[in-house]
Amino acid sequence: MTLGEAVAAQAPLAQRLLDGLAALGADPPGITRDAYGRGENAAHALVAEAGEALGLVAATDAGANLSLRWPGSDPAAKPILIGSHLDSVVQGGNFDGAAGVVAGLAAVAALQAAGIHPRCGIEVLALRCEEAVWFGLGLIGSRCLLARLPPGALDLRHARTGLTLAESIAACGGDPRRIAAGTPLRDPATLGAYLEVHIEQAPQLVEAGAPVALCLANPGNVRHPFIRITGEDAHTGLPHRFRRDAALAGADLALELEKLWLAEEAAGRPMAVTIGRLHTPAERHSLTMVSGRFELSLDLRAYAADHLAALEARLAGIVAEVAARRGVRIDLGARSAAAPGRMDPAILEGFAAAAARAGLPAPRLNSPGSHDANNFAAAGVPTGMLLARNRNGSHNPDEAMETGDLMASVSVLTHWLAERAGE
């Protein structure tokens, strides 16, 4: 059986896993697989069963991440990790994260079907809690694995259960005391590579007419999940010059950040601003009151560390200007950050060669999203990403990746593994 035939033969396996993950996460109109909860746990069990059917050795680390290991013939060779996540946002789509785990299993199955055994170990990882919706902090599984959790993270509380992150990890078979020690669960220097397949989160591949792309970089981000603006409650008839209107200050801040975004893009410096929450406190909504309180969230992202630092400095200036102009106090609150993730040049060229061998066009694109790959790249692990074509974006019920397009990514991944790790 040729390698191409072996890859094609795994399409039913990929479809069966994707369908199974959709069924256990069904939450109309979308999919919900809650991190460190029933949905993510069920997804881990489904994937573990599939891995064990391929003869992979299942293990859970102190962060409750799942590893499915195919031992290589050379115990001294650095292993290659293929990973992504299985949690979702609330009522999101089925493919964000999950497609990458399924791709890893399909690539292993293809190598086995082609009679190729690895010289180095190959591990498929299902990393916990990539989505920030659950604790206000994203990429938690890879942060645990690489000792990149920020201070106080283990005390963050789950948006649904109210359990702390430490309690959540323990409930899923992890060891929060080991995480609290602050040392990596895997020494980055002992890892040969980290590879991730992810759905494309903008319609760039639809536009390009290609099923798969070679990812150049993922943006890093700075996040403030709970920004609070404090002004002064007042009667709706109060003249403008007397107002300290927190709601208008929030709108002002949002518009100033959009101006920054447009100016940076016009200058050829790609970035993004996202305000996910923008509201007066629910318990104080009123038609007939000037609100003295307002809340919002902010995700600020860019592709280079120095650019991100410059944007954060601009944010501080914008906050000060808006606060002075509106007569309010703006508290940015808790901050989390993820380093930008530039992909390893050697892996990128290896992927390009693999795509050529598979007969696939594969443009080179930036990903608009931050992923677990960011943490591996920041830790010094050679990192590569493939993007699978997907209509309608992500984090919504309308994610529309075709299984055939996922198999194109599996083909590139499998050809690369055969060249790099095969005996």
Side-chain angles (χ1 to χ4, degrees):
M1 182 182 290
T2 68
L3 200 54
E5 291 169 340
V7 170
Q10 308 316 312
L13 169 64
Q15 189 64 63
R16 184 170 70 252
L17 289 172
L18 291 171
D19 290 346
L21 290 167
L24 63 85
D27 183 14
I31 297 290
T32 302
R33 291 189 290 263
D34 46 328
Y36 291 108
R38 183 173 62 181
E40 189 184 57
N41 290 343
H44 274 232
L46 178 70
V47 166
E49 181 180 9
E52 289 168 348
L54 295 172
L56 308 186
V57 180
T60 299
D61 69 18
N65 298 308
L66 172 66
S67 167
L68 298 165
R69 184 170 57 89
W70 188 14
S73 60
D74 181 359
K78 294 180 179 181
I80 294 171
L81 279 52
I82 307 167
S84 197
H85 62 99
L86 293 172
D87 66 313
S88 75
V89 298
V90 177
Q91 294 184 327
N94 190 42
F95 306 121
D96 185 327
V101 180
V102 171
L105 289 172
V108 167
L111 291 172
Q112 292 178 346
I116 297 173
H117 193 277
R119 178 182 58 83
C120 63
I122 296 176
E123 298 180 36
V124 179
L125 297 181
L127 295 161
R128 290 280 184 171
C129 193
E130 194 261 9
E131 302 293 0
V133 64
W134 302 108
F135 289 95
L137 177 71
L139 315 178
I140 285 176
S142 55
R143 289 180 191 267
C144 287
L145 192 147
L146 298 166
R148 299 182 69 83
L149 279 180
L154 289 170
D155 296 323
L156 295 173
R157 293 197 174 273
H158 194 285
R160 281 194 171 176
T161 67
L163 296 176
T164 65
L165 177 56
E167 292 166 341
S168 300
I169 290 172
C172 294
D175 182 359
R177 292 172 299 181
R178 173 76 174 81
I179 303 300
T183 55
L185 305 181
R186 303 286 292 271
D187 180 356
T190 67
L191 303 177
Y194 173 80
L195 311 176
E196 184 167 350
V197 175
H198 203 281
I199 59 171
E200 225 272 290
Q201 293 170 291
Q204 297 175 101
L205 282 170
V206 174
E207 183 179 68
V212 58
L214 314 181
C215 182
L216 296 170
N218 296 328
N221 63 63
V222 172
R223 288 172 169 167
H224 292 280
F226 303 109
I227 299 174
R228 290 183 172 85
I229 301 177
T230 305
E232 188 173 87
D233 291 342
H235 188 276
T236 50
L238 191 70
H240 189 280
R241 66 185 182 278
F242 298 121
R243 292 193 182 202
R244 297 174 57 214
D245 191 320
L248 286 180
D252 208 357
L253 178 58
L255 291 174
E256 290 297 325
L257 289 169
E258 186 188 34
K259 289 179 185 176
L260 170 64
W261 183 6
L262 294 173
E264 291 294 297
E265 281 198 342
R269 296 186 290 267
M271 61 163 294
V273 170
T274 301
I275 296 173
R277 294 189 305 107
L278 187 78
H279 57 88
T280 55
E283 70 276 8
R284 295 181 63 79
H285 287 330
S286 175
L287 176 64
T288 59
M289 184 178 75
V290 174
S291 181
R293 291 166 54 192
F294 199 78
E295 299 178 3
L296 65 151
S297 65
L298 173 64
D299 179 302
L300 188 67
R301 57 184 56 196
Y303 290 92
D306 57 348
H307 188 201
L308 196 57
L311 292 172
E312 193 166 14
R314 293 287 302 280
L315 169 64
I318 289 170
V319 165
E321 291 168 10
V322 171
R325 183 162 65 243
R326 293 288 181 179
V328 300
R329 185 173 72 253
I330 302 177
D331 179 8
L332 291 175
R335 173 191 182 276
S336 67
R342 298 203 67 82
M343 299 300 107
D344 181 78
I347 293 178
L348 184 64
E349 294 310 317
F351 278 164
R357 289 196 296 275
L360 289 165
R364 303 181 184 212
L365 300 173
N366 283 328
S367 168
S370 300
H371 305 290
D372 289 302
N374 290 50
N375 283 328
F376 286 91
V381 179
T383 299
M385 279 194 72
L386 297 169
L387 304 174
R389 180 166 54 191
N390 162 60
R391 296 180 184 272
N392 306 329
S394 69
H395 290 191
N396 68 69
D398 298 320
E399 290 175 4
M401 181 198 70
E402 298 290 338
T403 302
D405 289 343
L406 177 63
M407 296 312 294
S409 291
V410 172
S411 184
V412 175
L413 181 60
T414 304
H415 277 83
W416 186 91
L417 289 168
E419 178 70 20
R420 167 72 182 268
E423 289 187 312

